[in-house]
Amino acid sequence: MSSDKKTLSNQLSALLLPKLKGLSEKNAKKVLATVEKSVGDIAKKYVKLVQDQEKEAAKAKEKTEKAKKKSAEKEAKKKAKLAKKAAEIKQVAQLMAKEAAPAAPKSAAKAPAKPKAKVIKK
C-alpha cells in the first residue's frame, strides 16, 4: 500500500476499532480482519477516484487550451485575409492613380494649342 492509502486506512481503522470493545477476542479478531480489508479497499477506491478526477481536470484544461489555440489561429487567419484584401485594394488604387495621372496631362496639352500666324504675301 502506498503512504496515502496507509494513512487513510489508519484513520478509518482508528474510527472503527474503538467500537469493538464489547466483543470476545475471537469475534473481535474476525471483525478487525474484515475492517482492515474493507478499509484497504476503501482507501484504494478513494485514491483511484482522486486520480481519475485529476486526469479529467487535466483533459478539460487541455481541451480548453486547444479551443483557445484554435480560435487564436482562426483569428490570425481572418486578420491575414483582411490584410491581404487591404493590400490588394491599395495596389489597385495605386494602379488606378498611375493610369489616371498620365492621361490628364495629355488631354490638357492638346486643349491649349496656339493658333499659328498666317503669313500674308503681297
Side-chain angles (χ1 to χ4, degrees), residues 75-110:
E75 280 293 319
K77 285 182 182 179
K78 194 175 187 181
K79 287 181 181 180
K81 189 176 181 181
L82 290 174
K84 186 177 179 182
K85 281 185 180 181
E88 287 175 359
I89 290 171
K90 185 178 179 182
Q91 198 174 30
V92 168
Q94 287 176 346
L95 288 173
M96 290 177 73
K98 284 182 182 178
E99 289 177 3
K106 288 181 183 177
S107 62
K110 290 182 181 178

Side-chain angles (χ1 to χ4, degrees), residues 50-68:
V50 168
Q51 289 174 347
D52 289 345
Q53 279 183 323
E54 290 172 355
K55 286 179 184 178
E56 288 176 10
K59 283 182 182 179
K61 186 178 179 182
E62 185 178 323
K63 188 175 181 179
T64 57
E65 288 176 2
K66 282 185 180 180
K68 285 181 183 179

Side-chain angles (χ1 to χ4, degrees), residues 8 19 21 24 66 75 78 92 95 109 114 122:
L8 184 59
K19 310 238 185 231
K21 287 183 181 178
S24 67
K66 282 185 180 180
E75 280 293 319
K78 194 175 187 181
V92 168
L95 288 173
K114 295 181 181 177
K122 291 189 186 178

Side-chain angles (χ1 to χ4, degrees), residues 9-23 27-37 39:
S9 63
N10 287 340
Q11 290 174 347
L12 291 172
S13 295
L15 292 171
L16 295 174
L17 293 179
K19 310 238 185 231
L20 302 177
K21 287 183 181 178
L23 296 175
N27 289 336
K29 285 183 180 180
K30 287 181 183 178
V31 172
L32 180 61
T34 306
V35 167
E36 286 179 353
K37 182 178 177 185
V39 167

